[in-house]
DNA sequence: ATCCTACATTGGACTTAGTCCAAGTCAATG
DNA sequence: CATTGACTTGGACTAAGTCCAATGTAGGAT
């Protein structure tokens, strides 16, 4: 556990937000100015492998990192401003995929992304 | 309707696949050698606005274009090789998001991505 | 048929997000 | 103290996509 890794972990801790890798880097630099982008990418990659952090790719742009990895949830994304909220739908989408629709795949995970407009953006 | 647009439409027609923009460009060039990447991007963008083609972003890599825009469906992605299948789960995930979980958003769409291993990749 | 104009196309420069790698740093161990 | 191995750095590189000024062209007006 090096200073760099601690800083990256700290950035993701607490804040219940969805940061891009660059945002993580920017905040990490604020605490430890000489940290490099490569290290942030490495550390984020490790946190993802460890299951401590989730990668979320809601749009074509940058991946986002979600520290809320321990309670399963899905995402609601604003098509206008890109805001992201965690949501907890009822039901189990995995159960909604019949065997006949699995094509022999071993299905291990499902990701649900709701899209719409946030109150701000819909008040055009 | 120019020659270039016709070619892009032809490439997406028929084939029930999920091509990246570059793959579309490569196939378009085979039919009309002087077509430029920018035109392919423009045309794909228009087809998406017209609702003729869907953009699918299953991973961090390139967007894919899905000509099967008229029958709603979701996707099953192989974590190993990236293969994509269209699937039709039962149930309606939109109904599974209670008002209390909508945060005032106007929710208009939902995208479900199943992940797993295809028969080939799971036979390590 | 010819001209005109608005739109489409081109190609290249540019941007963003991310990966890769060789070299440097550091701490612990023997 | 020297060795080892893991971690970090910075910069070069790549992939995917966007932007823009210059050029070409489709199709209506005359």
């Amino acid at each position: 556990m090096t200073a760099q890794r601690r800083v990256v972990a700290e950035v993701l801790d607490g804040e219940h937000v969805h940061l891009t890798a660059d945002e993580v880097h920017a905040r990490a630099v604020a605490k430890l100015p000489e940290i490099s982008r490569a290290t942030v990418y490495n550390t984020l990659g490790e946190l993802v492998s460890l299951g401590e952090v989730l990668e979320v790719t809601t749009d074509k742009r940058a991946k986002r990192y979600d520290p809320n990895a321990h309670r399963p949830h899905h995402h609601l994304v604003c098509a206008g401003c890109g805001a992201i909220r965690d949501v907890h739908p009822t039901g189990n989408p995995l159960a909604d995929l019949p065997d006949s629709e699995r094509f022999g795949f071993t299905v291990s995970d499902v990701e649900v992304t709701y899209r719409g407009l946030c109150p701000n953006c819909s008040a055009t």
Side-chain angles (χ1 to χ4, degrees), chain A:
Chain A
M1 186 52 51
T2 65
Q4 287 81 354
R5 293 182 186 201
R6 199 175 331 105
V7 165
V8 171
E10 275 173 28
V11 166
L12 285 165
D13 203 43
E15 308 231 35
H16 188 194
V17 291
H18 303 82
L19 299 169
T20 65
D22 266 2
E23 284 163 356
V24 172
H25 179 233
R27 299 191 186 204
V29 164
K31 297 176 182 243
L32 185 67
E34 70 275 24
I35 195 171
S36 75
R37 288 190 334 116
T39 298
V40 171
Y41 277 106
N42 287 342
T43 309
L44 286 173
E46 281 161 29
L47 289 171
V48 169
S49 313
L50 291 171
E52 292 299 313
V53 161
L54 293 178
E55 258 180 24
V56 186
T57 54
T58 50
D59 57 0
K60 76 230 171 187
R61 318 284 290 160
K63 286 187 248 183
R64 295 178 174 274
Y65 293 88
D66 185 341
N68 184 16
H70 295 302
R71 191 174 337 285
H73 62 277
H74 297 288
H75 293 104
L76 169 57
V77 181
C78 175
C81 62
I84 303 177
R85 314 293 301 240
D86 288 0
V87 294
H88 305 81
T90 63
N92 175 9
L94 264 183
D96 286 346
L97 190 67
D99 274 352
S100 63
E101 288 279 305
R102 296 191 180 208
F103 303 99
F105 280 52
T106 310
V107 179
S108 53
D109 193 28
V110 59
E111 224 175 82
V112 182
T113 306
Y114 294 91
R115 297 185 188 281
L117 290 173
C118 72
N120 245 346
C121 291
S122 63
T124 318

